[in-house]
Amino acid sequence: MVTEESVLESIRQIIDPEIGINIVDMGLIYEVDINDTTVDIKMTLTSPGCPAGGQIINGTQLVTQKMDGVEEVNVSVVWTPRWTPEMMSEEAKDELGIF
């Protein structure tokens, strides 16, 4: 059975190429909604002009689509709330030296 936790674990494979940290710990995933075999993901990027945006969005969709029990994945990029470094996990902050 697909769960929010299993989706987030799968998405952890996606590393922001500019920062070198997975997008879950970066705080870029705002919401995961599962309805039977459909997964809806609401996410953001570090900025609207993020050069790796397409790669991150496509990667999120691809790794989720490969999960057993998933037939459809919808990824929505939102800009509210705007991403800030405070949204990162404590582990990500530690890795980047943000105190």
Side-chain angles (χ1 to χ4, degrees):
M1 183 173 148
V2 179
T3 64
E4 179 179 358
E5 293 78 25
S6 66
V7 171
L8 290 173
E9 189 60 36
S10 181
I11 295 172
R12 275 193 167 82
Q13 298 175 53
I14 308 303
I15 306 296
D16 183 308
E18 294 182 314
I19 299 175
I21 295 176
N22 76 73
I23 64 172
V24 174
D25 287 337
M26 285 285 301
L28 300 181
I29 304 298
Y30 287 168
E31 183 179 308
V32 175
D33 184 40
I34 301 162
N35 186 1
D36 197 25
T37 60
T38 300
V39 178
D40 295 308
I41 300 169
K42 189 182 295 184
M43 66 177 293
T44 194
L45 300 169
T46 55
S47 71
C50 176
Q55 177 182 352
I56 291 170
I57 295 163
N58 290 337
T60 300
Q61 181 153 11
L62 287 173
V63 298
T64 306
Q65 186 72 48
K66 290 181 181 178
M67 295 178 66
D68 288 337
V70 174
E71 292 182 15
E72 182 179 350
V73 179
N74 302 303
V75 177
S76 300
V77 177
V78 298
W79 301 109
T80 304
R82 189 166 187 92
W83 180 86
T84 65
E86 289 79 28
M87 294 176 170
M88 294 191 305
S89 70
E90 290 304 314
E91 294 82 12
K93 289 178 187 176
D94 287 347
E95 192 169 327
L96 293 176
I98 298 173
F99 303 100

